[in-house]
Every structure is written in C-alpha cells, then in structure tokens.
Amino acid sequence: MMRRVTVLLLALTVLGSAGCGAKAPVAPVVVALPVAECPAPSRPAIPALDPALPFDHALSVEIFLERDDVFRSYAKALEDCVKCYGAQSGGDSGRN
C-alpha cells in the first residue's frame, strides 16, 4: 500500500510541476494610431547686434528688445506644436 501511495505522489508531483515550465513568449501588441502633422515653426532670423556699439546704447537696447520678441514668439509657436501632438496622444504634454 505504501509503495502505491509513493508512486502516486511521485506521479502527481511530476505531472503537477510540468505546467510550471517556461511558457512561450507572448508577442507584444503594437497599436499604431494615426497622427496628424502639427505645424512646427521655422527657425526665425535673429536680428544682429552692431559690435561697434556698447550694450547700453539706445540702438542696441532696441535690437535686444526685438530679439526678445522673436525668441518669445518662437517659443510660443514651439509650445503650441507640442500641445498639438499632446492632444492627439490623449496626454497633457503642455504646461499651462
């Protein structure tokens, strides 16, 4: 009787552990969503400074202010482009 029980337990152990082996890898599911092209701004031309003028000259200050306007509008257009792509992905990629 004890021999039968031992053989039965051994057979159940082998059969039970057969299902714990390595399983076939599952292929990842790739979901490609259509993305619309968002308008990206082209790089602006930056007004040049006159190296002969000092930084605090009225003309240099005017050029600095113009450059600041160009940089700010370019940054705003880049942020709008990022927000456009973020809206398509469903995430909030833009900062307020």
Side-chain angles (χ1 to χ4, degrees):
M1 176 76 176
M2 188 67 154
R3 190 172 196 182
R4 287 183 183 173
V5 171
T6 305
V7 171
L8 180 62
L9 285 176
L10 183 62
L12 288 175
T13 303
V14 169
L15 291 175
S17 63
C20 296
K23 296 181 180 176
V26 177
V29 177
V30 178
V31 178
L33 299 174
V35 178
E37 187 82 19
C38 291
S42 32
R43 186 176 290 175
I46 307 298
L49 291 169
D50 185 358
L53 295 175
F55 282 145
D56 61 348
H57 191 272
L59 191 57
S60 292
V61 171
E62 185 178 328
I63 293 173
F64 278 127
L65 292 174
E66 184 180 345
R67 288 168 64 116
D68 185 61
D69 290 341
V70 169
F71 289 141
R72 287 178 189 270
S73 64
Y74 184 57
K76 174 73 170 104
L78 288 173
E79 288 175 352
D80 291 342
C81 181
V82 171
K83 285 180 183 178
C84 173
Y85 282 115
Q88 292 181 49
S89 68
D92 185 20
S93 296
R95 294 184 179 128
N96 295 346

